[in-house]
Amino acid sequence: MFYSFHTMVILASLFIAVFALFLFFTLKGKIEQLKWLLIIGLPMFFLGILAQETGWAVAEVGRQPWAIQDMLPVSIARTNLDTGTVATTFFMFVVLFTVLLIAEVKIMITQIKKGPEEVK
Ligand code: HEM
C-alpha cells in the first residue's frame, strides 16, 4: 500500500513536470529539435501504465477487508461465480487487451519510424 501509493504520487509529479517541459518547448516551436526531450517522453507511456496499476492496487488492497467501509465486508460482497467462470472471463480479457496492446505498439512504432513532419 505504502509503496503503491507513493509510486503513483511520485509518477504524477513526474508527469506534470514532463508535461510542462513539453508544453514549454512546443509553444517555443522547438520540440522537434530536442531529441533528449523526446527520449524522456518515450518511457512515460509505460510509466503511465505503472501508475494506473499501482493506483488500482491502492484502491483494491487499501480497502480490505471492506468493500464498503464498516458496512459491507468483502466476504459478503464477493461474487458467487465459480472459479472456472471467473478464469474464463479473465483470460478473455487477457487475450483482448494483448491484441489491443500489440495493435497500439505497432501503430506507435509506425509513427515513430515516420518521424515528425518537415519543419518549414
Ligand atoms: C498526486 C497524485 C495522485 C494521488 C494523490 C492519487 C490518489 C489516489 C487514491 C487515494 C486512490 C484510491 C481511490 C480509492 O480508494 O478508490 C487512487 C486510485 C487510483 N489511481 Fe491515483 N493518485 C494520483 C495519481 C495517479 C496517476 C498519475 C494515475 C495514473 C496515471 C493514477 C491512477 C489511479 C488508478 C487507476 C486508481 C484506481 C481507481 C479505481 O480502481 O477505483 N493515480 N489514486
Side-chain angles (χ1 to χ4, degrees), residues 5 8-9 12 15 48 51-52 55-56 58-59:
F5 183 76
M8 179 170 64
V9 173
F15 296 150
Q52 283 177 37
W56 179 75
V58 171

Side-chain angles (χ1 to χ4, degrees), residues 1 6-7 19 22 24 30 35 49 56 67 71 73 80-81 85 94 104 110 112 119:
M1 267 298 288
H6 282 75
T7 303
F19 171 75
F22 269 80
F24 178 74
K30 281 188 174 175
K35 201 174 171 192
I49 295 170
W56 179 75
M71 289 184 74
N80 285 328
L81 295 174
T85 312
V94 169
E104 186 170 348
T110 310
I112 292 167
V119 186

